[in-house]
Amino acid sequence: MKCAVDIESRDVEEMYINIDPIQAGGRLTADAMKAAISFGDGYSVCDNCRSPFRLDYIQKPPIAQFHADLAAWLNMDAVRVVPGARRGFQAVASTYVEKGDPVIVTALAHYTEFMAVEEAGGIPLEIPKDTANHITPDAAAEKIEAVIREFSKTPPLLFIDHVDYQFGNVHDVAGIIKVAHQYDIPVLVNGAYSVGIMPVDGKALGADFVVGSGHKSMAAPAPSGVLATTNEHAERVFRTTQAKGDVTGRTFGVKEVEMMGCTLMGVTVVGMMASFPHVRERVQHWETEVAHSQAVVDALLSIEGTKVLSDYPRQHTLTRIDTRESFDKVAQQHKKRGFFLSSDLKKRGITGVIPGSTRVWKFNTFGLMEKQIRHVGESFVGIARDNGLNIL
Amino acid sequence: MSKRAVDAVFQALFLLSDLRFLLRETAPEHDLDDMQRERAATTLAKVKRQITILEEELIR
């Protein structure tokens, strides 16, 4: 079925259980779907934009209130919605990083953190991960010391991923921030895999900035996200424009430089808003989500040769699994080669594993119903059994 | 101007979104339990009401 000329309708979520590692937390709620129907037009939230003309002041729909609610929920002082977490990284890096500045990231940092630093002219330098694939406060301290020795200056910013995208491990963000603050380094917490799916308290973490992704973890349309900060940093990162036209003498009032004026002006912000009550509620059930993740991981581990590369027991719904000694052995003999796994999963109504992957791959169980979790676990085991693998 | 027709279009689309969400929750088999079947029946009855309104307003 086509939804427009040459565009097939997308019915992946209706037809399959989707365990794609990056898509799980961004699936829309029913209310966000309704908001998308209502606010699909380009500047749809601007009908009632009145002076001062800025997105976060709009009262109808209640975008101003949404900003206040988001800040309170994250326990931060000020927030802005942004077109994806990466634009939050970009705004902060652009504000704090000067050309040639060393900036601390980590060996598990998302590539967009590197790009935000690069665009600002900084030099990204990684805190190494340990053998358990964790970024530790000790490693952060060692790296900061080494960078200060090498560059004879203190890094202006440190990025740390609350939950990394490679393993879905939860890192000691509070400990790392404590270390960074001993050197007066502000810290940006990348909450792309935490804000909106698990409880996040910015002040408890000690974060200077918390960045979340709407389309990754807040059940919102893409591109959307949130940049939250403290009163200490808000004035700087959310500074208003001082530009003035030399011919016209025009000035641009309260528009914020790093936000390029207004950010999410339609379906993205309203989608975030519509999902927000559900998001606020769902983070309270994080333990159930983790238990679901654990159940599927345990099913996979019952297949002889399978290893989990993420923390075990699981503390998150995103998991990296190693099936080189199980499904990949099947792939070597199978007529479909490595494509047998995604193909067999699809026959059982499951999608989201990259076609051809049978070695090291990731999946995410966030948001699935109990029955769907059972089906996923049983399907992995069933496929293994059908292909002659031993079940422990 | 038919505000009634416009409201009925939105209301029907919103109700169908609830059904869409139900299909997601029950994928891939869409084997609904008693409560889900009741939810579907109630929603469909409401959709039919909105369709009736649209017929009255637009093609009478």
Side-chain angles (χ1 to χ4, degrees):
Chain A
M1 185 176 64
K2 290 191 188 324
C3 60
V5 180
D6 294 338
I7 304 174
E8 281 292 330
S9 295
R10 180 177 184 268
D11 57 9
V12 168
E13 309 293 346
E14 288 76 19
M15 295 301 293
Y16 301 96
I17 297 171
N18 185 4
I19 56 171
D20 187 292
I22 64 170
Q23 293 183 342
R27 272 191 287 266
L28 297 189
T29 59
D31 283 346
M33 290 176 191
K34 296 171 193 177
I37 289 167
S38 191
F39 281 85
D41 296 313
Y43 282 110
S44 57
V45 302
C46 305
D47 296 338
N48 296 294
C49 184
R50 304 283 181 268
S51 179
F53 300 104
R54 206 171 74 197
L55 184 80
D56 55 305
Y57 287 130
I58 293 174
Q59 303 283 345
K60 190 181 170 188
I63 298 173
Q65 186 59 49
F66 176 57
H67 279 72
D69 292 345
L70 260 181
W73 176 65
L74 288 169
N75 197 16
M76 297 292 278
D77 298 322
V79 306
R80 297 291 185 270
V81 291
V82 288
R86 62 195 66 193
R87 297 297 181 182
F89 308 152
Q90 192 180 35
V92 176
S94 168
T95 301
Y96 286 80
V97 179
E98 302 288 339
K99 195 170 176 352
D101 278 349
V103 179
I104 309 285
V105 293
T106 79
L108 296 172
H110 193 257
Y111 76 93
T112 52
E113 296 169 36
F114 283 79
M115 294 179 82
V117 173
E118 182 180 8
E119 192 192 29
I123 301 161
L125 298 151
E126 297 168 292
I127 305 169
K129 62 185 176 73
D130 67 10
T131 52
N133 299 310
H134 278 259
I135 307 297
T136 65
D138 285 348
E142 277 178 36
K143 189 70 183 188
I144 292 168
E145 288 284 351
V147 167
I148 291 172
R149 273 198 306 276
E150 186 184 341
F151 287 82
S152 301
K153 64 168 141 176
T154 302
L157 190 61
L158 183 149
F159 289 79
I160 176 71
D161 293 31
H162 192 184
V163 174
D164 71 84
Y165 76 98
Q166 294 192 36
F167 296 92
N169 288 344
V170 182
H171 299 277
D172 181 5
V173 167
I176 290 162
I177 291 174
K178 205 170 166 189
V179 166
H181 283 177
Q182 286 167 4
Y183 297 87
D184 291 328
I185 302 172
V187 178
L188 182 153
V189 176
N190 174 3
Y193 278 104
S194 59
V195 172
I197 61 168
M198 59 188 274
V200 175
D201 182 327
K203 293 267 170 70
L205 293 172
D208 299 283
F209 305 96
V210 175
V211 174
S213 170
H215 53 264
K216 196 169 265 166
S217 295
M218 298 175 77
S224 59
V226 57
L227 166 60
T229 189
T230 59
N231 284 332
E232 184 189 348
H233 297 284
E235 206 171 313
R236 195 166 162 198
V237 75
F238 299 140
R239 66 196 177 281
T240 52
T241 177
Q242 303 299 309
K244 186 175 182 180
D246 67 326
V247 173
T248 61
R250 289 179 301 154
T251 57
F252 307 98
V254 295
K255 302 294 191 198
E256 293 167 336
V257 177
E258 295 298 348
M259 300 297 110
M260 291 295 285
C262 297
T263 52
L264 311 183
M265 293 166 276
V267 69
T268 42
V269 69
V270 179
M272 274 181 102
M273 289 165 62
S275 280
F276 185 57
H278 305 282
V279 164
R280 204 160 35 183
E281 167 66 19
R282 77 186 191 181
V283 300
Q284 304 302 322
H285 306 292
W286 178 235
E287 284 179 15
T288 303
E289 294 290 346
V290 173
H292 284 170
S293 167
Q294 184 69 37
V296 173
V297 170
D298 284 341
L300 277 160
L301 291 179
S302 74
I303 302 163
E304 191 174 24
T306 300
K307 295 179 200 136
V308 60
L309 301 178
S310 306
D311 284 343
Y312 187 89
R314 296 300 301 123
Q315 292 175 31
H316 199 272
T317 57
L318 170 67
T319 298
R320 186 174 173 121
I321 202 94
D322 178 349
T323 53
R324 283 175 291 192
E325 295 299 318
S326 53
F327 289 131
D328 196 54
K329 291 208 159 171
V330 175
Q332 286 163 28
Q333 308 297 325
H334 202 284
K335 64 179 179 191
K336 289 185 182 170
R337 309 297 290 177
F339 291 90
F340 91 92
L341 181 59
S342 57
S343 171
D344 281 10
L345 283 168
K346 203 151 193 180
K347 279 182 204 153
R348 291 167 188 258
I350 298 164
T351 190
V353 174
I354 296 173
S357 297
T358 47
R359 295 173 65 77
V360 175
W361 46 280
K362 295 187 289 186
F363 65 95
N364 197 334
T365 58
F366 186 80
L368 300 184
M369 308 296 283
E370 190 83 39
K371 195 173 169 186
Q372 292 174 318
I373 288 291
R374 273 200 306 278
H375 183 73
V376 172
E378 287 165 7
S379 295
F380 278 126
V381 172
I383 291 168
R385 194 177 277 126
D386 290 352
N387 285 281
L389 294 173
N390 285 335
I391 307 303
L392 302 171
Chain B
M1 180 191 282
S2 174
K3 174 75 171 138
R4 194 166 172 250
V6 171
D7 285 350
V9 165
F10 276 112
Q11 196 56 46
L13 289 169
F14 296 162
L15 289 161
L16 288 171
S17 296
D18 288 329
L19 286 179
R20 183 181 177 192
F21 198 74
L22 185 61
L23 289 171
R24 289 180 166 211
E25 282 181 339
T26 56
E29 285 155 356
H30 304 129
D31 182 15
L32 277 58
D33 62 26
D34 290 346
M35 250 165 73
Q36 288 165 331
R37 265 198 297 276
E38 196 181 315
R39 236 170 82 194
T42 307
T43 306
L44 281 168
K46 288 179 181 172
V47 172
K48 284 176 187 167
R49 272 205 295 279
Q50 302 308 317
I51 300 295
T52 303
I53 291 170
L54 286 168
E55 285 171 342
E56 287 169 9
E57 292 292 317
L58 301 178
I59 57 172
R60 240 184 338 192

